[in-house]
């Protein structure tokens, strides 16, 4: 929905005694005047008032308050006459049909049920789903691997217990012209279980995606288990499918944490109903002043979305960037003062620019997802709801501009819009387009959506408690997202630290989506290796235009140990190396900041701690050999906690006849720039 609505929770008032029928006799009536309606059946005056109230909020322009007058007739029917409480624009036909729809909406349950008016974002998401029925169902999916015994009865009881606490798991949209949300008592997620070996996992995932979820039936979450049992010795695959108009990725991860707690408690989740709930959030949303947001977007209106290349085919393609390449990407983005998401946005803009055949400076527009949880609403980070929100972004791509400026500008845009994460894109379009329509269905999703996943941190006590039952669970893996956009790109980190990119296309060709994805992944691998402060946008575009190298890179040298990751290359072969030794517990970001603060010509590599690097003697010898093969002076640097390992490695190198390395150990509070300066001085001293 693109108009400003007051959202609130209200109890549903059932029409007493049965359904209501509305008769419209337009004979001799002025189409622009309020009609006289005949109401047949039992009439609830509160129902009439609620329908008129909703009719006023659904209008595309300010409307007067309507004063209803119910006149009973001898046959038990009623005549409804309406008197405007203010001036009515006579050139606009009265929406008599919509009023009749609102009066005759059937109740969703046998008795009164809590009803919540959807947010504008939810109206738009529902309109997207309604506008794109077809070959695949409308849902998003997560996958989890459960290792250890699994009690099916306890599992089902645990999910139902979570549903009793979380009303969103019992929610559905009403039928009718205005889709209110109804929470159904006794409903919950559908839980399915297939015996191990009875069906192929990929076939199950695809069949589940095609089945989709109906947002007008209770239960926006479906849980499917492949395998499992009380005596299961192997792994059980778990598929969680959810409808994005009621839940988002963050929410499902929260609900999964609650399921674990319920399972640990024997199937009964301790505590009462969720507060805050969706109704609390909609009341907060209704109280927000939209004037600053209107002014912000009118001052910087989003441009028309850049459409990805068109083609035939609907589906998904996936690419993965290795953990070493992902660490290098994070370090490169950090050196530019940007998060990884801004680097991804910049590269995606370049890929769209190239695919569109642009020349010279051009604005490339797409949508970027925000979590919707960066708002001043207490408890929002623990609220399961559809809050992830696409907001428009525009990248000014100029081939002659420095590359470093592009992600920085996109970072600044993201910071600017962070205060308006609660404003839906449909609202923004209606504010900034002349004659913008108020109908959510009239604001089609165009262009592409980029989602860089944010995840809630799992409670630290869950893994040990599950381990006590002999159970281990993986981090949920995102299997892509079907949205109303022609092309959706989702980025997330897997358990090993690799960056996984999944593109889902709807109305764009699968081959075109694969080409965009392949070139984007290629640039994300190579730019951190090759870009310098003088690299231009044109240089990055040339990299995108080159045939993509699908082979993971970043381990030069035949003896380079798996535990070593190159953070930045040397200016010339044999120049020398600075090896940063990462101790257990040392944040990776602390060492990557040192790497990008380093100004010398030497290569900077990272030595990861156990268990990633085996602490056995053969593995240590491999690391020492790999460092010796690099040539030139070597300096080992570490924050407090890595000194012992750095010193032992230096001893191995000396014992093998290599040039004695320098060793630098510093405190954890030392600034990255100061540490890098010291490393540079030691390299010069031993050269």
């Amino acid at each position: 929905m693109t108009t400003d609505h007051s959202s609130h929770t209200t109890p549903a008032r059932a029409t007493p005694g049965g359904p209501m029928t509305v008769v419209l006799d337009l004979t001799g009536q002025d189409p622009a005047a309020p009609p006289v309606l005949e109401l047949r059946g039992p009439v609830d005056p509160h129902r009439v008032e609620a329908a008129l109230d909703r009719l006023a909020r659904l209008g595309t322009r300010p409307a007067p308050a309507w004063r209803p007058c119910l006149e009973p007739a001898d046959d038990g029917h009623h005549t409804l006459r309406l008197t405007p409480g203010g001036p009515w624009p006579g050139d606009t036909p009265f929406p008599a049909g919509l009023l009749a729809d609102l009066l005759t909406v059937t109740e969703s349950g046998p008795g009164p049920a809590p009803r919540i008016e959807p947010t504008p974002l939810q109206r738009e998401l529902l309109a997207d789903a309604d506008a794109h029925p077809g070959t695949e169902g409308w849902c998003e999916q997560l996958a989890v691997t459960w290792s250890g015994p699994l009690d099916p009865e306890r599992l089902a009881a645990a999910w139902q217990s979570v549903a009793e606490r979380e009303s969103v798991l019992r929610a559905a949209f009403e039928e009718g012209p205005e889709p209110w949300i109804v929470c159904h008592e006794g409903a919950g997620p559908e839980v399915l279980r297939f015996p191990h070996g009875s069906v192929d996992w990929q076939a199950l995932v695809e069949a589940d995606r095609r089945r989709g979820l109906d947002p007008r039936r209770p239960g926006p979450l479906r849980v499917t288990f492949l395998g499992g049992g009380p005596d299961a010795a192997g792994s059980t695959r778990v598929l969680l499918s959810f409808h994005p108009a009621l839940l988002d990725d963050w929410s499902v991860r929260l609900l999964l944490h609650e399921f674990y707690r319920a399972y640990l408690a024997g199937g009964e989740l301790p505590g009462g109903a969720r507060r805050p709930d969706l109704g609390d959030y909609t009341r907060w949303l209704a109280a927000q002043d939209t004037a600053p947001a209107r002014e912000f977007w009118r001052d910087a209106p989003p441009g028309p979305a850049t459409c990805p290349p068109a083609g035939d085919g609907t589906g998904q393609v996936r690419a993965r960037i290795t953990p070493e390449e992902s660490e290098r990407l994070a370090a490169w983005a950090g050196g530019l003062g940007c998060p990884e998401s801004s680097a991804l946005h910049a590269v995606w803009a370049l890929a769209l620019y190239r695919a569109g055949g642009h020349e010279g400076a051009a604005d490339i527009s797409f949508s970027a997802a925000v979590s919707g949880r960066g708002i001043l609403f207490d408890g929002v980070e623990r609220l399961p709801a559809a809050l992830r929100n696409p907001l428009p972004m525009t990248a000014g791509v100029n081939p002659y501009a420095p590359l470093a400026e592009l992600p920085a500008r996109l970072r600044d845009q993201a910071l600017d819009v962070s205060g308006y994460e609660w404003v839906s894109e449909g609202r923004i379009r209606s504010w900034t387009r002349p004659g913008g329509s108020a109908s959510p269905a009239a604001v089609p999703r165009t262009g592409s959506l980029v989602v860089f996943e944010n995840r809630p941190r799992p409670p630290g006590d869950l893994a040990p408690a599950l381990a006590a039952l002999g159970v281990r669970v993986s981090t949920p893996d995102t299997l892509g997202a079907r949205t109303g956009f022609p092309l959706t790109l989702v980025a997330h980190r897997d358990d090993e630290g690799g960056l996984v990119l999944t593109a889902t296309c709807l109305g764009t060709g699968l081959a075109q989506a694969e080409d965009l994805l392949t070139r984007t992944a290629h640039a994300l691998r190579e730019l951190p290796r090759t870009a310098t402060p003088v690299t231009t946008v044109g240089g990055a575009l040339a990299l995108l235009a080159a045939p993509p190298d699908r082979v993971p890179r970043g381990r030069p040298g035949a003896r380079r140990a798996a535990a070593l990751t190159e953070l930045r290359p040397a200016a010339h072969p044999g120049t020398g190396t600075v090896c940063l030794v990462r101790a257990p517990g040392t944040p990776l970001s602390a060492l990557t900041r040192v790497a990008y603060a380093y100004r010398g010509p030497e290569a900077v590599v990272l030595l990861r701690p156990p268990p990633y690097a085996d602490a056995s003697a053969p593995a240590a010898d491999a690391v020492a050999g790999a460092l010796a093969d690099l040539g030139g002076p070597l300096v080992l640097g570490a924050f407090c906690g890595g000194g012992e390992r750095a010193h032992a490695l230096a001893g191995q190198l000396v014992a093998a006849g290599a040039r004695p390395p320098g060793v630098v150990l510093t405190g954890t509070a030392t600034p990255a720039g100061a540490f890098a300066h010291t490393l540079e001085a030691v390299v010069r001293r031993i050269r």
Side-chain angles (χ1 to χ4, degrees):
M1 194 72 179
T2 56
T3 52
D4 296 334
H5 283 271
S6 59
S7 299
H8 58 276
T9 306
T10 182
R13 294 181 179 269
T15 301
M20 179 193 297
T21 300
V22 177
V23 177
L24 287 168
D25 184 1
L26 303 181
T27 303
Q29 292 196 31
D30 181 355
V36 177
L37 288 76
E38 180 185 347
L39 309 183
R40 301 186 178 187
V43 175
D44 180 1
H46 297 287
R47 186 81 170 182
V48 174
E49 293 172 1
L52 291 171
D53 179 60
R54 279 177 271 166
L55 182 69
R57 291 197 303 277
L58 284 168
T60 59
R61 63 179 70 185
W66 295 97
R67 291 194 289 269
C69 177
L70 280 173
E71 302 173 357
D74 294 339
D75 55 4
H77 301 163
H78 288 74
T79 299
L80 175 61
R81 300 182 188 277
L82 302 174
T83 303
W88 170 255
D91 59 337
T92 302
F94 186 92
L98 179 56
L99 176 58
D101 283 334
L102 294 172
L103 288 168
T104 56
V105 170
T106 56
E107 293 303 318
S108 303
R115 302 167 78 239
I116 301 172
E117 188 173 356
T119 66
L121 172 62
Q122 287 181 301
R123 294 177 186 277
E124 293 166 23
L125 292 170
L126 186 63
D128 286 339
D130 289 343
H132 296 93
T135 56
E136 289 190 356
W138 199 269
C139 71
E140 298 187 27
Q141 296 173 306
L142 295 178
V144 176
T145 300
W146 176 294
S147 301
L150 180 61
D151 184 340
E153 293 184 1
R154 189 175 184 177
L155 177 151
W159 273 116
Q160 188 58 43
S161 178
V162 175
E164 292 171 2
R165 172 184 170 89
E166 301 288 359
S167 60
V168 69
L169 289 180
R170 298 179 273 111
F173 290 95
E174 276 187 321
E175 297 284 354
E178 190 186 6
W180 287 61
I181 298 173
V182 178
C183 300
H184 300 256
E185 294 301 324
E190 181 182 11
V191 180
L192 304 174
R193 180 168 170 256
F194 294 87
H196 181 73
S198 62
V199 64
D200 176 72
W201 170 252
Q202 290 300 328
L204 178 63
V205 170
E206 289 301 319
D208 185 89
R209 180 182 294 127
R210 288 193 299 270
R211 179 186 173 192
L213 286 154
D214 185 354
R216 290 180 172 84
R217 297 187 62 184
L221 175 69
R222 181 169 58 245
V223 186
T224 305
F225 288 80
L226 178 59
D231 302 320
S235 297
T236 302
R237 306 295 295 273
V238 185
L239 179 65
L240 300 113
S241 302
F242 55 98
H243 199 285
L246 287 166
L247 290 169
D248 57 19
D249 175 273
W250 181 290
S251 301
V252 176
R253 294 173 189 273
L254 291 177
L255 294 170
L256 191 60
H257 298 162
E258 294 193 39
F259 160 72
Y260 293 150
R261 289 203 182 281
Y263 189 88
L264 289 168
E268 187 70 27
L269 184 66
R274 152 74 51 197
R275 293 306 297 268
D277 61 9
L278 181 58
D280 296 319
Y281 172 73
T282 57
R283 283 190 290 272
W284 176 89
L285 191 62
Q288 301 310 299
D289 181 8
T290 61
R294 286 174 181 264
E295 183 178 353
F296 173 82
W297 291 110
R298 284 173 177 169
D299 289 344
T306 302
C307 295
D312 296 325
T314 297
Q316 290 184 339
V317 287
R318 175 173 281 204
R320 182 177 184 267
I321 300 174
T322 67
E324 293 81 4
E325 293 165 339
S326 300
E327 289 175 359
R328 192 181 302 116
L329 173 64
W332 178 64
L336 300 176
C338 300
E340 289 175 275
S341 57
S342 295
L344 175 61
H345 293 159
V347 170
W348 185 248
L350 295 177
L352 291 174
Y353 178 97
R354 178 198 168 276
H358 294 278
E359 295 182 0
D363 285 339
I364 303 298
S365 297
F366 55 91
S367 294
V370 295
S371 70
R373 289 174 165 83
I375 60 176
L376 298 177
F377 175 65
D378 191 29
V380 69
E381 71 282 353
R382 306 300 301 173
L383 173 64
L387 302 185
R388 191 184 71 196
N389 189 17
L391 293 178
M393 301 279 286
T394 299
V397 178
N398 183 350
Y400 303 103
L403 174 63
E405 292 181 0
L406 184 57
R409 288 198 304 269
L410 289 166
R411 173 207 61 203
D412 293 344
Q413 275 192 60
L415 291 173
D416 288 341
V417 304
S418 62
Y420 306 108
E421 288 193 6
W422 49 273
V423 180
S424 70
E425 189 168 24
R427 270 182 164 184
I428 295 169
R429 299 290 182 185
S430 70
W431 293 339
T432 56
R433 289 180 177 175
S437 172
S439 171
V443 188
R445 306 292 190 192
T446 58
S448 57
L449 170 65
V450 180
V451 182
F452 201 102
E453 251 185 24
N454 292 305
R455 299 178 173 181
R457 186 182 300 275
D461 60 337
L462 281 181
L466 289 168
L469 294 180
V471 173
R472 182 169 53 86
V473 294
S474 68
T475 302
D477 182 30
T478 300
L479 300 184
R482 167 109 184 247
T483 69
F485 288 86
L487 184 60
T488 301
L489 176 68
V490 179
H492 76 279
R493 291 280 189 142
D494 60 20
D495 272 351
E496 298 177 0
L499 186 65
V500 180
L501 305 174
T502 305
T504 305
C505 58
L506 172 69
T508 58
L510 197 59
Q512 289 82 355
E514 184 175 14
D515 183 70
L516 271 174
L517 181 67
T518 301
R519 294 181 186 277
T520 297
H522 176 66
L524 291 173
R525 294 185 185 108
E526 295 302 315
L527 283 175
R529 290 173 47 82
T530 60
T532 68
V534 297
T535 299
T536 64
V537 170
L541 288 168
L543 181 66
L544 278 162
D549 179 4
R550 300 181 184 222
V551 179
R553 299 179 60 184
R555 300 182 183 181
R559 298 184 63 187
R560 176 65 59 87
L564 287 176
T565 299
E566 186 179 74
L567 296 180
R568 54 179 294 174
H572 309 285
T575 301
T577 305
V578 172
C579 179
L580 300 176
V581 181
R582 184 183 180 191
T586 300
L588 177 63
S589 59
L591 294 170
T592 54
R593 283 196 295 269
V594 174
Y596 280 86
Y598 192 83
R599 293 290 178 262
E602 294 77 21
V604 181
V605 299
L606 173 70
L607 175 60
R608 292 179 289 167
Y612 303 100
D614 190 352
S616 63
D621 290 342
V623 171
L627 289 172
D629 285 350
L630 293 175
L634 171 67
V635 171
L636 303 171
F639 282 104
C640 181
E644 185 177 0
R645 192 175 183 210
H647 185 266
L649 182 57
Q652 284 180 291
L653 289 166
V654 172
R659 186 178 185 176
V663 178
V664 180
L665 178 68
T666 191
T668 55
T670 301
F675 190 16
H677 182 72
T678 303
L679 292 170
E680 294 167 16
V682 174
V683 171
R684 288 195 298 269
R685 189 170 68 232
I686 67 173
R687 183 175 295 280

